[in-house]
Amino acid sequence: MKLKNISNLGVLALLSLSSYHLCAKSTHQPKKLPNNKKHVVKIQTEADIRLQEIIIQQNLTASIPDLSNLPRLNHPVSQLGMKLFFSKALGGEKTVACASCHHPRIGGADGLSFPIGTNAVDPDIIGPLRLTSETINIPRNSPTIFNVGLSNSSLFWDGRVERFTITDSQGNEQEVISTPDSGFGVPDLDVGNDLVGALSRFPVTSVEEMRGAAFENAFNNQSVREHLAERLGNYGSGNGDLEKNNWLNEFRRAFNSTDNAESLITFDSIALALGQYQSSVNLINSPWSAYLKGDFNALSQAQKRGANLFFSQISDGGAGCVNCHGGTRFSNDGFFNLAFPQFGIGTGDQNIDHGRFDIDPQQRNMFAFKVPSLLNVELTGPYGHSGAYETLEEVVAHYVNPADAINNFFSKGGACGLSQFKNDASCEILNNNAQNNSLQALALLQLSPFVAPPLDVSQQDDLVQFLKALTDKCAKDHRCVRKFEPSKLSQDPDELRLNLQMIIRGKA
């Protein structure tokens, strides 16, 4: 395309009192603010009372994520992983870094409906201004790396990297991971029990995402990985492949080792470092978590009403969102067909994408995709496996009336109505069979137990406001999230670090 635990809530006796009394009584005179305004102590409203009842009933304080077992960003291996994540040396043609499609300053993703990998016009432009020199050739939206370490069961839209439990002949249980290398439900003996590290082994092998036309003699995924390890280690087929190469010192420092490159710089160690870094990108300090910890003022009244809708069942006048979006990640890690609009190149004939069905062919998996986490969801659009919806308002409207939402999507031009493709003269290519494929998914949804929540416009807006209360303050502060990027003062091991020219939500 040419252009284009209410452990800190305190006085629970409030629940039995009037909804208009003060939620806390000061024991001293409030200090004057610089502008001479007095502190405002908010009252506890009906929304607060109902929400606190729900918090107790559903033990929602237990859903505050525990990061104690996750890697720390300042660990030497995580720091190595960060440098690897931002280096284009892991791209076969040295034009794509992991961060090209998963950047901390763009919600941990790329802000595009469909990612642009090896065919970008300018490799150092990321975000909404990134253009492709040919046509879109990646079929699914880029997931965020934010809080990916909290995911315990599977990764990718179809869950093709998946943790499960096996039992040996002696009755001993063991957690293992299956990948595309091993096949669905078959343990991949090369990845151990590191889910994010296992994921890190695959984008580099994709011709469209990172590999490009490089490594012509590589005959399988593992062979591609070996070439990359040899490139970074400056041995074997990769000897002299990088004009500047200080990776051996980086690996020795990270692993506190004096081993030679052949022993130390393997793709196993590369994947480990990449996994440790991504698992350290944790952003969970949201207004919602502050409210759970006792700050009644952390949420607006609209957000409190939205939370009540989110955590209440449809039969009780709510939206039932918690049924799929519960837990520490606001996801049950299941796979469901919700009939989000299908468009683009797809993964099969007639541009169709059957989702989970393609790796686990059970009828319930037809058009089913992984339930995404809602942590920081405000920042991770466009939404859905195809990035069909650009706003949370559109997403919520789809749940309320999927048929109308699909009609609206195509009445606006389908792919051609999206920001990424609005100036693309060949955008109609992405609409080939799109409406028919979407209607197939919708027909199956209408036969499923799914019940659309009957929310009016005001309730939909309240729900959107609550979703925005799941955003970590640091996640939307470009200066704050830069701690997840290599410092400009840190050594660039190969001078192939992603050199951003233009970035962030369409701004130069």
Side-chain angles (χ1 to χ4, degrees), residues 242-397:
L242 299 177
E243 292 185 14
K244 176 189 176 184
N245 193 331
N246 196 42
W247 282 112
L248 181 55
N249 288 334
E250 296 287 342
F251 276 75
R252 283 175 168 171
R253 183 183 305 112
F255 291 103
N256 191 25
S257 170
T258 59
D259 286 353
N260 61 23
E262 289 88 340
S263 299
L264 188 56
I265 306 181
T266 65
F267 202 85
D268 286 344
S269 61
I270 293 171
L272 172 62
L274 288 170
Q276 293 289 289
Y277 161 68
Q278 292 174 82
S279 295
S280 74
V281 185
N282 294 304
L283 293 153
I284 63 169
N285 295 317
S286 66
W288 170 243
S289 64
Y291 187 88
L292 286 179
K293 293 174 183 178
D295 183 359
F296 286 3
N297 298 341
L299 301 182
S300 69
Q301 291 306 308
Q303 290 171 333
K304 293 170 186 177
R305 294 193 299 269
N308 283 322
L309 290 168
F310 187 97
F311 291 105
S312 296
Q313 299 302 317
I314 295 176
S315 58
D316 295 325
C321 309
V322 68
N323 296 331
C324 294
H325 291 284
T328 58
R329 297 177 57 248
F330 280 79
S331 170
N332 66 0
D333 290 317
F335 300 88
F336 296 94
N337 166 31
L338 289 166
F340 275 42
Q342 293 223 11
F343 69 100
I345 64 171
T347 59
D349 294 339
Q350 304 299 312
N351 310 95
I352 206 162
D353 189 345
H354 288 131
R356 177 74 167 175
F357 183 86
D358 286 342
I359 66 166
D360 183 12
Q362 302 182 60
Q363 184 61 31
R364 61 182 173 84
N365 288 331
M366 183 69 75
F367 300 114
F369 295 90
K370 184 176 173 64
V371 177
S373 168
L374 297 183
L375 295 175
N376 304 295
V377 69
E378 175 186 6
L379 308 176
T380 61
Y383 305 100
H385 71 279
S386 62
Y389 294 133
E390 297 182 297
T391 70
L392 289 174
E393 286 80 1
E394 291 174 320
V395 173
V396 172

Side-chain angles (χ1 to χ4, degrees), residues 193-251:
N193 195 28
D194 178 5
L195 197 67
V196 185
L199 172 147
S200 303
R201 301 171 68 86
F202 291 93
V204 298
T205 67
S206 167
V207 171
E208 296 80 14
E209 293 180 39
M210 294 186 71
R211 176 183 173 184
F215 313 131
E216 293 180 358
N217 297 325
F219 54 90
N220 61 16
N221 286 348
Q222 186 57 27
S223 182
V224 173
R225 299 177 191 122
E226 289 171 358
H227 277 285
L228 289 170
E230 291 171 356
R231 171 187 285 177
L232 267 62
N234 198 32
Y235 64 88
S237 66
N239 186 35
D241 199 8
L242 299 177
E243 292 185 14
K244 176 189 176 184
N245 193 331
N246 196 42
W247 282 112
L248 181 55
N249 288 334
E250 296 287 342
F251 276 75

Side-chain angles (χ1 to χ4, degrees), residues 158-199:
D158 54 11
R160 61 186 181 272
V161 171
E162 185 169 29
R163 177 181 284 126
F164 59 101
T165 301
I166 58 174
T167 305
D168 62 22
S169 57
Q170 283 75 43
N172 300 312
E173 291 187 343
Q174 178 184 0
E175 286 190 341
V176 294
I177 293 172
S178 64
T179 73
D181 284 350
S182 63
F184 176 71
V186 179
D188 187 332
L189 302 181
D190 293 329
V191 303
N193 195 28
D194 178 5
L195 197 67
V196 185
L199 172 147

Side-chain angles (χ1 to χ4, degrees), residues 417-495:
L418 296 172
S419 298
Q420 184 176 356
F421 308 114
K422 64 183 178 182
N423 294 322
D424 195 325
S426 57
C427 63
E428 282 294 347
I429 294 174
L430 299 174
N431 284 332
N432 288 344
N433 304 303
Q435 195 156 8
N436 181 58
N437 293 337
S438 300
L439 292 177
Q440 286 188 50
L442 178 62
L444 284 178
L445 175 64
Q446 292 171 334
L447 293 174
S448 77
F450 172 79
V451 177
L455 306 180
D456 60 30
V457 174
S458 178
Q459 289 174 310
Q460 291 180 49
D461 182 65
D462 287 345
L463 193 52
V464 168
Q465 295 308 310
F466 172 67
L467 295 176
K468 293 180 178 181
L470 303 179
T471 305
D472 185 295
K473 182 179 180 180
C474 178
K476 55 183 177 182
D477 183 337
H478 294 171
R479 293 169 298 178
C480 183
V481 294
R482 287 188 183 184
K483 65 186 177 184
F484 299 114
E485 304 173 32
S487 166
K488 292 182 179 180
L489 300 178
S490 68
Q491 185 181 58
D492 185 345
D494 52 25
E495 295 184 352

